Amino acid sequence: MRYPAILMTALALSGCAKSDGHRASLAEEQETSGPGVAITAAPGVAFRYAYDFRLPAARIAATQEAHAQACETLGIARCRITAMHYSVGRGADRIDASLDFKLDPLIARKFGAGGIDKVVKAGGKLGSVDITGTDVGGAIKAIDDASARQRADLDRIEAQLAKLPVRAPERVTLQEQADALRAALNANAANKSEQQQSLATTPMHFDYGTTDGFWGFDAGSPIGLALGLGTQSCFAALSLLAIVLAGGLPWAVLGLAGWWLWRRLRDRFAPA
């Protein structure tokens, strides 16, 4: 009886280990790939992706270049770079950079996951992901419904105009109504084209920030946080000292000038 019990215990521990390993694998995959929305899950919705990355300052430029090259490899029909920004702050470890794309909606989610993977391989991490959507399909349907009503009204007015004599006084009013309906139809067509274009491309924004703290410590680590807090306290104390000196210095100068003047007058008018 003892050996079957040992065997069952070993099998149970093995199952737990596999389960823990599976959960760890899923957690690691979630961290590297990030969340996303499949385009088939929300037809007619135009999405916008915004990723916030945190990397060591020395690796931001190379990672940004890797993301740009990944877009260029896909070709302009599937990915286009629409904006790029890179600037260095007062310190060499203060980098502010960003990159904007226009992507084929079918590959947007995969491209974002690939961007996260490049950041992780460069020693960085994903800070946040914002995915916003606009119900373009509903807007297009509303435009089509409005255009159908306006087209019916225009057909009715044109039929009335065809029956009226050339010099009939009602023609002026009907013609103005017809012109207004044609202008509205043209505006609807332009709006619909714009809405369809938003469905054809997905905007994506990459924002790069630094994780460097003091003397190579990560700003989010306990040591980095302690050093940052200490530095802030030091700057606060120096700022307070500067305020006190700036406020009291004029009075101190005035007091010294009065004391010096009093000494001069006392020496001059004092009896021998």
Side-chain angles (χ1 to χ4, degrees):
M1 294 295 294
R2 182 175 60 182
Y3 294 106
I6 295 175
L7 180 60
M8 293 297 292
T9 303
L11 290 175
L13 291 175
S14 175
C16 291
K18 290 181 179 180
S19 178
D20 292 341
H22 180 64
R23 284 196 296 268
S25 176
L26 288 177
E28 182 178 359
E29 180 181 357
Q30 180 70 17
E31 181 181 356
T32 56
S33 64
V37 178
I39 188 173
T40 56
V45 177
F47 288 104
R48 180 185 183 275
Y49 289 75
Y51 294 84
D52 181 62
F53 299 127
R54 290 291 175 263
L55 300 98
R59 299 177 184 175
I60 288 181
T63 306
Q64 186 184 38
E65 179 64 24
H67 287 157
Q69 290 179 358
C71 178
E72 294 170 356
T73 302
L74 293 172
I76 59 174
R78 305 179 72 190
C79 181
R80 288 174 295 160
I81 297 174
T82 58
M84 178 182 287
H85 171 74
Y86 184 91
S87 63
V88 181
R90 293 184 177 181
D93 59 344
R94 296 302 176 209
I95 306 297
D96 182 26
S98 64
L99 200 57
D100 290 276
F101 310 92
K102 288 280 189 178
L103 287 156
D104 181 347
L106 296 175
I107 66 171
R109 183 180 181 183
K110 183 177 180 181
F111 187 85
I116 298 173
D117 184 60
K118 288 180 175 58
V119 170
V120 172
K121 288 180 179 179
K125 60 185 178 181
L126 174 65
S128 65
V129 179
D130 289 323
I131 304 174
T132 56
T134 304
D135 184 12
V136 176
I140 291 176
K141 184 179 183 303
I143 293 172
D144 289 339
D145 293 342
S147 297
R149 292 190 299 269
Q150 292 163 354
R151 173 58 62 183
D153 292 339
L154 181 60
D155 291 341
R156 177 179 52 81
I157 292 174
E158 288 179 343
Q160 292 177 359
L161 287 171
K163 296 177 181 178
L164 290 174
V166 178
R167 297 184 179 277
E170 306 91 73
R171 292 186 65 89
V172 176
T173 302
L174 291 175
Q175 191 64 51
E176 290 177 353
Q177 294 177 359
D179 292 340
L181 287 170
R182 292 189 187 97
L185 287 170
N186 291 334
N188 287 344
N191 190 11
K192 182 178 179 179
S193 177
E194 182 180 350
Q195 298 291 342
Q196 290 173 336
Q197 183 62 27
S198 67
L199 279 176
T201 58
T202 296
M204 184 172 291
H205 176 78
F206 285 175
D207 191 75
Y208 308 87
T210 58
T211 57
D212 295 338
F214 298 88
W215 299 295
F217 292 106
D218 193 316
S221 65
I223 298 179
L225 289 174
L227 290 173
L229 182 60
T231 303
Q232 291 178 1
S233 300
C234 181
F235 280 134
L238 291 176
S239 299
L240 180 60
L241 180 60
I243 292 173
V244 172
L245 290 177
L249 187 61
W251 296 103
V253 172
L254 184 61
L256 288 175
W259 176 78
W260 176 82
L261 182 60
W262 176 78
R263 288 286 304 272
R264 292 294 301 272
L265 293 174
R266 187 190 64 175
D267 294 341
R268 175 174 296 183
F269 297 104

